[in-house]
Amino acid sequence: MQHLVPAHVRSGTGPRPPVPAARPAVDAEALSVLHRAARALMAGLPELSERLVDLLVAREPAYRAAVEADAESVRDEVRRSLKLNVGSLIRPGELREAAHRCSWAIGRARAERGLPLDALLRAFRLGGGMIWQELVDETTRRHPADARLLVHVAADVWNFVDDHCAVVTDAYRQTERELMWRRENRLRLMTAGLLDGTARIADLPATAAALGLPEQGRYAVVLVRLPAGRAFTDVRDQVRLPGLRILWHRDRDRDSEGGYGIVLLGDRRAGRGIGSLDAEPGPASTPDPARDPVDEEGPGVQDDPDGPDGPGGRYPGAHGSEADVGEIARRLTAPRAARVGVSPVVEGLAAVGDARRLADTALRACPRSGGTVVLEEHLPAALVVSAPVLGAALSERVLGPLLRLEMSDRDVMLDTLTVWLDSDGSAQRAAGRLYCHRNTVLNRLRRCEQLTGRSLTRPADVVELSLALAAHTLLDP
């Protein structure tokens, strides 16, 4: 409900108009008429308040719902506002600050209760129209000759209505921004709790509802580290998982150039595969006015437009089936130098913390040059990076003689041994990849055997060499 007082007591928001010179005598007479009519309205304030509530219910559906939910709070709000509105017509200087505070409080309270701003502004103008009509009717009924004088204060009254609409708008939007931040921070804390494994079991249903994810879903965690100079806000644009839903989160205590993604792979309780989940985003992926559009560092569900039914085409197993971590690796696209670690699949939100720790391990097993490491496919390397002290000791014990060669000679020997192992022990294939003769490869391998004291025909020695090479590649600075 707006406060109707002359424009010279307008809100402190925005520039103040120039102070006019002394008002003509006719304006002073008009103000006297306005004050007299306002005092008459003050006498019937309770009845006027009820009539305004009835008018809001009849004209504004949002207020009709507000009255049904809490009629007394609406009536109290209208009574306080009218008392200050009409009182401001009589004593504008005395009641100006109280009028501002009342309008601000109404804007804040209605924003917190979710009343639409346009409905709130319409209610203010409805109230302004009702009070103006009451002033005119009161003057016409008791002093008809003075009614013509009210036209001289009409512009002041309606300017003040607009001023207080601006006040309530400012209060509403400030409160909305605060609510956005609170909700975003709440979602961020919920997501951090899942990833840290500190979320309480009793809180999981509320967390699942807030994030729009099934409590009993199948999940994996991906950990992305972007190349230097890339910001976390770029992750959602640069790292794509078509057809899968992913909840991104930045851990502020860790590398600022990447983040974690909780990937939803299926909902077993609902008997739904990833295709149906793609087509039905949850609450966290739906636009929400309580989310700050400026803060892009918080959690958010990303539904890729090139999903199973999008322009990207259909994916194997996308409808009525559940994906696995191999599917994540096949679908994932990221910048060339990005490093990505993918955890195994876990059951339920309660196990996301375990998946996060495994994703950390997978990332440590990822080459510094970049790439995607699915933990289940690189378990030997994961064992090495999980015990870096032992891995370093193994590297020194097994490869020490090679590592102490001249740099060019050392690199040739290590590259040859690595490529031979990657070629399943085939000297012919290794020669093709190294652009040299097969005999050259065999000569280098024999020299490796002599220096390390390990035989490439003995399985136990081959395992030692393979793990030592992994430790040297992943752990050496």
Side-chain angles (χ1 to χ4, degrees):
M1 168 70 202
Q2 65 276 21
H3 310 293
L4 306 179
V5 301
H8 63 273
V9 293
R10 61 186 286 132
S11 165
T13 59
R16 292 179 178 274
V19 177
R23 300 177 67 98
V26 65
D27 285 358
E29 189 179 357
L31 282 174
S32 177
V33 171
L34 180 66
H35 293 167
R36 183 179 61 202
R39 283 192 289 270
L41 263 60
M42 286 291 287
L45 204 58
E47 179 186 353
L48 189 63
S49 299
E50 288 301 318
R51 288 173 55 198
L52 181 52
V53 171
D54 292 342
L55 180 64
L56 293 176
V57 169
R59 297 279 189 89
E60 191 54 58
Y63 264 93
R64 189 180 311 135
V67 168
E68 290 174 357
D70 190 353
E72 191 52 40
S73 73
V74 176
R75 288 192 173 91
D76 180 65
E77 183 180 279
V78 169
R79 282 193 295 265
R80 285 186 292 108
S81 184
L82 277 177
K83 183 178 179 180
L84 287 167
N85 291 345
V86 182
S88 294
L89 298 178
I90 305 168
R91 304 189 307 279
E94 180 182 339
L95 297 177
R96 178 182 59 185
E97 293 303 322
H100 284 173
R101 287 194 298 270
C102 185
S103 287
W104 187 275
I106 290 172
R108 186 172 185 85
R110 288 301 147 193
E112 289 174 345
R113 290 171 173 80
L115 187 84
L117 177 58
D118 57 349
L120 181 58
L121 294 177
R122 284 195 297 269
F124 264 57
R125 294 189 174 98
L126 276 174
M130 178 180 176
I131 288 181
W132 176 250
Q133 189 61 52
E134 287 294 321
L135 292 170
V136 172
D137 290 348
E138 172 65 22
T139 303
T140 302
R141 185 167 52 253
R142 296 181 182 274
H143 307 279
D146 293 338
R148 61 182 177 80
L149 294 172
L150 290 177
V151 72
H152 296 283
V153 294
D156 288 339
V157 170
W158 286 106
N159 283 341
F160 194 78
V161 171
D162 289 340
D163 287 343
H164 276 261
C165 282
V167 169
V168 80
T169 298
D170 288 345
Y172 189 100
R173 288 177 175 163
Q174 178 176 314
T175 304
E176 191 176 42
R177 286 192 294 270
E178 291 174 4
L179 293 173
M180 289 175 184
W181 183 87
R182 289 176 193 169
R183 180 180 182 274
E184 189 70 20
N185 193 53
R186 176 172 173 261
L187 295 180
R188 184 183 296 113
L189 291 174
M190 285 181 170
T191 309
L194 291 176
L195 290 166
D196 293 342
T198 57
R200 298 189 307 172
I201 298 297
D203 294 336
L204 288 179
T207 298
L211 296 176
L213 297 171
E215 183 181 354
Q216 300 302 324
R218 298 174 66 254
Y219 295 97
V221 172
V222 297
L223 173 55
V224 179
R225 289 290 178 261
L226 295 175
R230 308 265 188 157
F232 170 74
T233 51
D234 296 331
V235 168
R236 296 175 215 185
D237 294 328
Q238 298 181 59
V239 180
R240 308 294 295 175
L241 267 175
L244 295 175
R245 296 182 62 202
I246 181 166
L247 176 66
W248 287 110
H249 175 75
R250 173 184 178 182
D251 189 338
R252 297 179 183 273
D253 295 332
R254 296 174 183 266
D255 192 333
S256 62
E257 296 172 345
Y260 291 98
I262 301 175
V263 184
L264 175 61
L265 298 173
D267 185 354
R268 286 191 168 176
R269 173 171 291 188
R272 292 153 55 181
I274 60 174
S276 56
L277 289 169
D278 293 334
E280 192 173 321
S285 60
T286 304
D288 193 316
R291 182 178 176 191
D292 190 347
V294 176
D295 182 8
E296 291 296 333
E297 297 182 349
V301 173
Q302 171 184 305
D303 289 289
D304 198 294
D306 292 333
D309 293 317
R314 295 180 178 271
Y315 298 99
H319 289 273
S321 62
E322 295 176 332
D324 56 18
V325 288
E327 192 71 16
I328 292 177
R330 286 188 290 274
R331 299 187 188 191
L332 187 140
T333 58
R336 178 173 298 180
R339 300 170 64 236
V340 183
V342 184
S343 78
V345 176
V346 296
E347 300 291 338
L349 286 177
V352 165
D354 296 332
R356 191 271 303 168
R357 286 185 285 275
L358 294 172
D360 288 344
T361 302
L363 188 80
R364 291 197 295 271
C366 184
R368 287 185 290 273
S369 59
T372 298
V373 169
V374 176
L375 185 66
E376 292 179 344
E377 298 173 1
H378 295 80
L379 290 177
L383 287 173
V384 169
V385 298
S386 296
V389 175
L390 294 178
L394 177 66
S395 174
E396 173 59 30
R397 176 179 175 80
V398 176
L399 301 178
L402 295 179
L403 299 177
R404 285 185 282 275
L405 294 172
E406 291 292 332
M407 182 176 295
S408 58
D409 199 14
R410 177 198 67 189
D411 290 344
V412 167
M413 301 301 290
L414 291 176
D415 288 346
T416 300
L417 185 57
T418 299
V419 171
W420 181 79
L421 289 169
D422 290 342
S423 301
D424 298 326
S426 169
Q428 189 67 43
R429 288 202 297 271
R433 293 173 59 182
L434 292 169
Y435 302 103
C436 64
H437 195 275
R438 174 177 178 274
N439 289 340
T440 302
V441 172
L442 292 174
N443 290 334
R444 292 173 183 173
L445 293 176
R446 278 193 290 270
R447 189 178 176 205
C448 285
E449 289 180 317
Q450 292 168 359
L451 289 171
T452 63
R454 267 72 177 175
S455 170
L456 295 178
T457 61
R458 186 180 303 120
D461 288 356
V462 173
V463 170
E464 263 195 337
L465 285 165
S466 178
L467 291 176
L469 280 170
H472 171 70
T473 302
L474 298 172
L475 299 176
D476 282 0

